[in-house]
């Protein structure tokens, strides 16, 4: 395949295009244009530049009849796009200049864009990084998901408590998408199944329309563009005119309301399957539309159905689209007449499944009765899939068991490859959740350690450092990230170290200025920035970080003249609205922050900052500014983590457990450049089996005991002294995530970090070695692994 030529446009021409869009797409003149109008005009002008490479890529795939990858994901946590697209097209300087010539501040225009927050956390952001890498590697691919009207809720704090409000990114026009009214599929629910002459047919009781919206995803240097196709739910019948004419307006719009509910809101739950009928409908809705769409495309090329696996690779991002298996079987067998066994084998040849969690509560299961009511034909097909699987393996694993349809088992059985997301996690997948299935299908599970796109997570978010890297090793590294290895010798070069440190300092100042403007908070940029950003979850142990903060505060107050290393502890993240304990932890962080930040003894030495409403854009400020990255999950619980990679790449040192991809990060950056502490996954399991393990750990640690007594006694909640009595009590008896057992080791490691951080030269040397050795964590490497081990698709040759 050939490539699309680099985009060439000068500031003058881009300026004219921006004005043209301002006038003719937005109907505004320069004197009346708002920031929003300028941002829309710039976006539309940039979007125009994407169209030619997008058409060219699509044309090449059709001509070559190439195999396509379909990445099915309930979540795509994309963030903002203006800067990302300008950078991928290599026109960011031109864009900046064009805006300046129009009297507009480019940075302000970029910041006006709302985040596309169509995801909860790591899983959704991984999907977004994968889209970027698929286009950069020129792999023909579609992302398929839901065009939620409301992305992840907005978080703010009231008296320290998390309050959620609806997010509204689509209240403004979305600049990047193309509506495709002609691409629409009818999606059914409920009803009954008829059989005649050995042929089954499903007659849904209710239908909605899945309507497509396409966003081009441009890769590095504008060489290639794939498509993200998101489905919106619309009513099959616009409204009930009869009710309207009777004056019953509510009843008249009922069909529309019902249909639109399906794509109304992203489930804000990153813990458990909600068991809600709506969630199952969302899953089936987008999966069925995607499968129909890819089958139509395949058939339009005149292929025979048996060849489907040679042309189509379908990746299931977690179990949420696991219904793809039975749906594809249904279409192949019921609609296209393939014998059932052949339909199952053909579908399996296309499908692969990524597992992102070992937490049992996060593995989806549906009540069989509900499932059979909403998807009666799929229920029957799953029974047939199970029969074939049992006949092939002799058991013991069932897909439907004890009145539940188990989506993990369904996805596994219907996939030709199943992957975990880090080496440790994949090993645990084999030993725990899918032990028996792994024995039955020993070739099926493979590892693909996660990665992050270096375009957004280094080049774009950290211009001080990416500029320095360009000047030091040239400009080829953004799509060949292991070239960063060439920085390693410079870790011993005094001038380079000084420049690296200055870049970090510039990022800290940028973050400080942003927080000052946003929240009125003042940060001392000479202090160490110690950052933990991720969903609030017990296994991620924000609580342990907070307990250590209180212990440090105690130590400072005990010895106010000690030689303390000034630190700013930054927390950011949201809790699932129904996750009581996580919300209690948020409240406690805010209570502790209020108390410590007001204490004169802590001034200049310890500060706690918890900016509300963490999202991708906030991460782009925080990640480059970190000195220390907190990756402190209970070993065995964090499948991979990807924030850990972002921090290491941007030159933060990690304090972390041997969990997820921390293991591989430590191997690559060097044990001496990583602060390891805590129990291993094996030790966690053993310790948990010991009676009263938490009480013993608390007994043995005077430091921890004192902190817990303060919290339980109301030291941070004088208005309600017993507010955290329950939380502390539970830590004694139900410390499932072993905060107590790892506390001392964590505290001691932090004190070692205090001492090490004071040797600025050596700290910077080790920070450089983190950046220079993190190149392997590019999502380009991950995607090349999927292409090779799972999808069997070719990459176009690199320029
Ligand atoms: C995350 N899972 C893992 N789930 O926790 C993290 O270790 C990993 O790096 C990342 O996936 C990418 O592999 C995660 O983010 C969710 O948010 C789901 C959302 C929908 C409900 C179930 C959890």
């Amino acid at each position: 395949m050939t490539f699309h030529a680099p985009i060439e446009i000068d500031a003058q021409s881009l300026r004219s295009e921006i004005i043209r869009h301002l006038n003719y797409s937005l109907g505004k003149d320069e004197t009346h244009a708002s920031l929003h109008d300028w941002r829309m005009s710039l976006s539309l002008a940039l979007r125009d530049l994407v169209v030619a490479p997008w058409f060219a890529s699509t044309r090449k795939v059709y001509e070559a009849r190439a195999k396509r990858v379909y990445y099915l994901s309930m979540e795509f946590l994309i963030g903002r796009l203006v800067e990302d697209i300008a950078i991928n097209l290599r026109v960011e300087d031109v864009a900046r200049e064009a805006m300046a010539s129009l009297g507009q501040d480019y940075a302000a225009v970029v910041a006006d864009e709302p985040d596309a927050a169509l995801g909860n956390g790591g899983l959704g952001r991984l999907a977004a990084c994968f889209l970027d890498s698929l286009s950069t590697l020129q792999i023909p691919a579609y992302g398929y998901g839901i065009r939620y009207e409301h992305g992840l809720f907005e978080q703010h704090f009231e008296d320290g408590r998390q309050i959620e409000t609806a997010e509204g990114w689509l209240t403004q026009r979305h600049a990047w998408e193309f509506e495709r009214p002609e691409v629409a599929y009818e999606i059914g629910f409920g009803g009954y199944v008829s059989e005649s002459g050995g042929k089954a047919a499903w007659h849904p009781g209710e239908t909605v329309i899945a309507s497509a919206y396409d966003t081009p995803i441009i890769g590095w240097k504008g060489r290639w563009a794939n498509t993200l196709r998101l489905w919106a739910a619309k009513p099959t019948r616009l409204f009930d005119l009869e009710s309207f004419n009777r004056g019953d307006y509510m009843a008249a719009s009922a069909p529309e309301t019902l249909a639109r509910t399906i794509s109304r809101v992203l489930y804000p739950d990153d813990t458990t399957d909600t068991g809600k009928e709506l969630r199952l409908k969302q899953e089936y809705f987008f999966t069925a539309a995607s499968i129909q769409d890819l089958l139509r495309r395949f058939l339009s090329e005149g292929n025979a159905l048996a060849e489907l696996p040679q042309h189509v690779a379908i990746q299931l991002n977690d179990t949420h689209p696991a219904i793809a298996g039975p749906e594809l079987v249904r279409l192949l067998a019921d609609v296209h007449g393939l014998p059932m066994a052949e339909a199952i084998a053909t579908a399996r040849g296309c499908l692969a499944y990524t597992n992102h969690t070992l937490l049992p509560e996060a593995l989806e299961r549906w009540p069989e009765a509900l499932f059979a009511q909403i998807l009666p034909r799929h229920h029957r097909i799953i029974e047939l899939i199970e029969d074939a699987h049992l006949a092939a393996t002799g058991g013991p694993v069932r897909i439907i068991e004890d009145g539940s349809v188990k989506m993990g088992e369904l996805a596994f059985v219907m996939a030709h490859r199943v992957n975990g997301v880090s080496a440790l996690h994949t090993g645990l997948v084999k030993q725990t959740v899918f032990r028996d299935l792994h024995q039955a299908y020993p070739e099926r599970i493979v590892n693909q350690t996660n990665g992050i796109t270096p375009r957004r997570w280094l080049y774009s978010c950290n211009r001080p450092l990416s500029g320095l890297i360009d000047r030091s090793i040239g400009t080829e590294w953004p799509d060949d990230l292991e070239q960063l290895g060439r920085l390693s010798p410079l870790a011993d070069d005094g001038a380079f170290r000084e420049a690296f440190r200055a870049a970090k300092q510039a990022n800290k100042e940028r973050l400080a200025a942003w927080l000052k403007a946003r929240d009125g908070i003042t940060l001392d940029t000479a202090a160490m920035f110690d950052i933990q950003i991720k969903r609030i979850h017990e296994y991620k142990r924000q609580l342990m970080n907070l307990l250590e903060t209180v212990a440090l505060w105690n130590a400072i107050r005990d010895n106010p003249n000690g030689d303390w290393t000034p630190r700013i502890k930054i927390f950011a993240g949201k809790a699932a609205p129904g996750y009581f304990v996580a919300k209690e932890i948020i409240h406690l962080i805010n209570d502790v922050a209020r108390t410590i930040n007001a204490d004169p003894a802590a001034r200049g030495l310890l500060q706690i900052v918890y900016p509300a409403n963490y999202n991708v854009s906030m991460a782009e400020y925080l990640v480059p500014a970190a000195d220390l990255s907190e990756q402190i999950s209970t070993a065995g619980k964090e499948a991979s983590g990807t924030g850990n990679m972002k921090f290491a790449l941007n030159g933060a040192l990690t304090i972390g457990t041997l969990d997820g991809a921390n293991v591989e990060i430590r191997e690559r950056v060097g044990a001496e450049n990583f602060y390891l502490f805590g129990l291993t996954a094996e030790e966690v399991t053993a310790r948990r089996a010991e009676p009263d393990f938490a009480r013993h750990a608390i007994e043995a640690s005077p430091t921890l005991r004192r902190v817990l007594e303060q919290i339980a006694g109301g030291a941070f909640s004088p208005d309600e002294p017993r507010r955290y009595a329950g939380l502390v009590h539970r830590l004694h008896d139900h410390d499932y995530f072993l905060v107590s057992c790892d506390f001392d080791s964590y505290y001691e490691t932090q004190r070692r970090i205090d001492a090490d951080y004071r040797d600025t030269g050596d700290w910077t040397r080790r920070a450089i070695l983190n950046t220079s050795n993190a190149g392997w964590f590019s999502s380009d490497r991950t995607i090349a692994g999927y292409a090779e081990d799972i999808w069997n698709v070719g990459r176009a040759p690199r320029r």
Side-chain angles (χ1 to χ4, degrees):
M1 279 182 227
T2 51
F3 310 93
H4 194 270
I7 300 295
E8 285 186 17
I9 189 161
D10 57 26
Q12 191 54 40
S13 318
L14 185 61
R15 179 196 151 102
S16 313
E17 289 301 298
I18 293 168
I19 292 174
R20 188 173 63 81
H21 276 295
L22 183 69
N23 297 159
Y24 298 107
S25 305
L26 284 103
K28 284 283 184 84
D29 67 17
E30 285 103 298
T31 43
H32 294 99
S34 64
L35 188 61
H36 165 266
D37 298 328
W38 286 118
R39 197 249 304 162
M40 285 301 290
S41 309
L42 171 63
S43 303
L44 293 170
L46 291 174
R47 193 181 74 168
D48 288 352
L49 300 178
V50 171
V51 167
W54 190 31
F55 286 176
S57 307
T58 310
R59 217 175 300 121
K60 277 169 208 149
V61 179
Y62 269 100
E63 280 163 12
R65 306 183 69 193
K67 184 167 184 174
R68 295 177 180 88
V69 173
Y70 295 100
Y71 197 81
L72 268 61
S73 178
M74 280 290 264
E75 305 193 355
F76 288 94
L77 188 43
I78 289 170
R80 290 180 179 144
L81 280 172
V82 178
E83 171 109 306
D84 186 72
I85 288 169
I87 278 178
N88 271 306
L89 291 172
R90 314 303 291 112
V91 299
E92 72 269 31
D93 292 339
V94 174
R96 194 180 296 277
E97 198 185 324
M99 291 319 285
S101 77
L102 291 161
Q104 298 303 312
D105 173 13
Y106 177 70
V109 170
V110 164
D112 179 64
E113 185 178 7
D115 270 42
L118 311 184
N120 275 289
L123 172 151
R125 184 54 233 176
L126 185 76
C129 284
F130 279 7
L131 291 179
D132 183 273
S133 285
L134 282 161
S135 289
T136 292
L137 294 185
Q138 298 162 190
I139 294 174
Y142 281 78
Y144 276 129
I146 298 178
R147 184 177 178 272
Y148 300 105
E149 242 170 88
H150 304 284
L152 188 61
F153 65 85
E154 286 190 359
Q155 174 198 56
H156 66 273
F157 299 133
E158 262 176 46
D159 299 329
R161 287 188 177 85
Q162 170 176 295
I163 306 292
E164 304 98 29
T165 52
E167 186 282 336
W169 75 302
L170 283 183
T171 47
Q172 307 172 353
R173 178 178 164 195
H174 178 38
W176 305 105
E177 70 184 3
F178 292 91
E179 189 176 359
R180 302 282 188 227
E182 77 284 8
V183 183
Y185 298 96
E186 203 169 285
I187 309 297
F189 304 102
Y192 66 98
V193 177
S194 66
E195 289 202 35
S196 86
K199 269 189 75 88
W202 176 29
H203 309 276
E206 178 194 355
T207 59
V208 301
I209 301 293
S211 176
Y213 289 78
D214 288 352
T215 303
I217 304 291
I218 190 82
W220 180 241
K221 294 190 177 168
R223 290 181 297 222
W224 187 269
N226 286 317
T227 303
L228 171 61
R229 176 160 282 183
L230 299 179
W231 300 105
K234 296 184 177 163
T236 315
R237 195 161 57 109
L238 260 188
F239 71 90
D240 183 357
L241 189 59
E242 210 179 303
S243 308
F244 190 91
N245 288 340
R246 271 203 320 272
D248 190 349
Y249 306 124
M250 294 285 264
S253 54
E256 177 171 10
T257 311
L258 218 83
R260 290 200 195 277
T261 303
I262 290 183
S263 55
R264 178 104 56 202
V265 25
L266 166 81
Y267 264 83
D269 194 336
D270 81 337
T271 48
T272 56
D273 142 37
T274 57
K276 293 268 161 56
E277 180 179 326
L278 180 57
R279 171 95 178 169
L280 179 56
K281 283 186 168 175
Q282 284 187 328
E283 294 185 355
Y284 179 64
F285 164 76
F286 100 94
T287 304
S290 309
I291 298 291
Q292 286 191 53
D293 195 45
L294 67 88
L295 209 52
R296 176 198 51 77
R297 190 171 299 112
F298 169 81
L299 292 169
S300 76
E301 295 187 336
N303 301 303
L305 278 175
E307 293 167 9
L308 196 66
Q310 280 91 65
H311 293 268
V312 167
I314 304 170
Q315 190 66 34
L316 308 178
N317 194 25
D318 216 294
T319 55
H320 320 137
I323 193 67
E327 173 67 3
L328 186 50
V329 170
R330 183 182 76 82
L331 294 175
L332 293 176
D334 295 0
V335 179
H336 295 284
L338 247 53
M340 188 53 76
E342 202 183 314
I344 294 175
T346 304
R348 183 177 294 126
C350 301
L351 289 160
Y353 151 57
T354 305
N355 172 282
H356 295 269
T357 185
L358 300 166
L359 299 179
E361 68 271 26
L363 286 168
E364 287 187 300
R365 285 158 187 251
W366 297 107
E368 189 180 357
L370 172 76
F371 192 96
Q373 181 204 324
I374 295 179
L375 299 169
R377 180 57 185 151
H378 300 78
H379 177 242
R380 177 66 194 135
I381 288 173
I382 291 171
E383 288 176 336
L384 298 174
I385 290 169
E386 184 179 65
D387 289 348
H389 150 72
L390 292 176
T393 61
V397 180
R398 309 194 67 108
I399 299 172
I400 303 180
E401 197 168 48
D402 301 330
S404 293
V405 184
K406 301 188 290 180
M407 301 308 266
E409 282 72 6
L410 172 65
F412 192 114
V413 168
M414 280 310 295
H416 69 286
R417 286 283 180 280
V418 174
N419 76 284
V421 289
S422 72
L424 180 80
H425 168 66
T426 300
L428 291 170
V429 168
K430 290 180 182 171
Q431 289 161 27
T432 61
V433 264
F434 293 130
R435 213 176 82 111
D436 293 333
L437 283 171
H438 173 53
Q439 269 168 21
Y441 305 99
E443 305 293 311
R444 199 162 287 186
I445 300 181
V446 295
N447 180 53
Q448 299 297 341
T449 298
N450 284 165
I452 55 173
T453 168
R455 274 75 62 185
R456 184 180 287 262
W457 294 111
L458 177 54
Y459 187 94
S460 160
C461 73
N462 193 343
R463 297 314 298 270
L465 182 55
S466 54
L468 174 63
I469 298 172
D470 280 351
R471 293 193 295 280
S472 308
I473 61 167
T475 57
E476 294 299 307
W477 58 270
D479 64 337
D480 183 10
L481 200 60
E482 295 213 55
Q483 285 199 21
L484 292 183
R486 289 166 50 205
L487 295 172
S488 290
L490 296 174
D492 294 315
D493 174 326
F496 183 80
R497 262 195 220 173
E498 195 40 52
F500 192 94
R501 207 195 59 75
K504 179 64 73 186
Q505 191 58 30
N507 291 320
K508 291 168 80 167
E509 273 151 25
R510 176 170 175 262
L511 169 63
W514 179 74
L515 269 178
K516 181 83 193 170
R518 200 192 87 134
D519 295 338
I521 299 170
T522 305
L523 301 185
D524 168 13
T525 58
M528 179 202 305
F529 282 19
D530 166 347
I531 306 188
Q532 186 173 21
I533 47 176
K534 45 188 84 247
R535 283 303 280 253
I536 310 299
H537 208 298
E538 288 165 280
Y539 83 78
K540 296 178 187 281
R541 301 198 293 193
Q542 282 92 355
L543 180 59
M544 189 167 71
N545 186 350
L546 189 69
L547 299 179
E548 189 270 335
T549 309
V550 174
L552 173 59
W553 179 55
N554 288 337
I556 292 172
R557 288 191 304 160
D558 290 349
N559 181 12
N561 299 318
D563 204 4
W564 300 104
T565 303
R567 251 193 218 241
I568 302 182
K569 288 261 191 181
I570 303 177
F571 295 84
K574 297 176 180 179
Y579 190 171
F580 174 79
V581 182
K583 292 179 123 175
E584 205 177 19
I585 292 169
I586 290 180
H587 198 181
L588 180 58
I589 298 173
N590 283 322
D591 276 345
V592 169
R594 189 174 18 82
T595 311
I596 294 183
N597 293 346
D599 178 11
R603 191 147 312 139
L605 297 180
L606 178 62
Q607 183 184 1
I608 304 170
V609 178
Y610 190 167
N613 203 35
Y614 176 63
N615 59 11
V616 171
S617 295
M618 190 193 289
E620 288 167 9
Y621 281 97
L622 289 165
V623 167
D627 295 303
L628 186 66
S629 154
E630 298 271 353
Q631 307 301 333
I632 60 178
S633 50
T634 313
K637 292 294 174 198
E638 189 69 271
S640 161
T642 45
N644 47 4
M645 302 168 186
K646 292 167 196 162
F647 281 113
L649 183 62
N650 283 274
L653 271 68
T654 303
I655 180 168
T657 46
L658 267 189
D659 201 13
N662 290 357
V663 177
E664 289 152 271
I665 292 176
R666 180 168 171 268
E667 277 166 14
R668 287 182 187 265
V669 306
E672 62 293 358
N673 305 314
F674 183 109
Y675 290 96
L676 180 69
F677 75 95
L679 301 173
T680 63
E682 265 177 31
E683 289 166 348
V684 162
T685 311
R687 181 67 64 87
R688 211 182 264 132
E690 288 176 18
D692 281 333
F693 64 88
R695 275 181 193 279
H696 291 148
I698 295 168
E699 259 329 284
S701 170
T703 311
L704 177 58
R705 230 168 35 230
R706 180 175 169 196
V707 170
L708 294 179
E709 279 162 14
Q710 287 167 291
I711 294 173
F716 304 100
S717 52
D719 52 324
E720 189 189 346
R722 296 195 48 77
R723 182 177 294 156
Y724 301 110
L727 184 145
V728 171
H729 180 77
R730 285 197 308 275
L731 210 55
H732 286 77
D733 291 324
H734 307 284
D735 181 17
Y736 186 78
F737 297 101
L738 286 86
V739 167
S740 55
C741 304
D742 274 349
F743 178 82
D744 277 354
S745 154
Y746 178 60
Y747 184 81
E748 282 154 20
T749 308
Q750 289 284 26
R751 300 295 72 77
R752 201 145 52 77
I753 290 170
D754 280 339
D756 291 353
Y757 187 72
R758 305 168 76 91
D759 184 344
T760 310
D762 197 57
W763 183 276
T764 305
R765 182 183 64 78
R766 297 192 298 146
I768 295 168
L769 291 175
N770 268 266
T771 297
S772 66
N773 289 300
W776 189 77
F777 297 97
S778 167
S779 46
D780 297 347
R781 183 269 310 151
T782 312
I783 286 298
Y786 278 82
E788 173 88 17
D789 305 339
I790 300 179
W791 301 330
N792 192 25
V793 289
R795 298 161 50 181
R798 312 290 299 280
R799 190 185 333 237

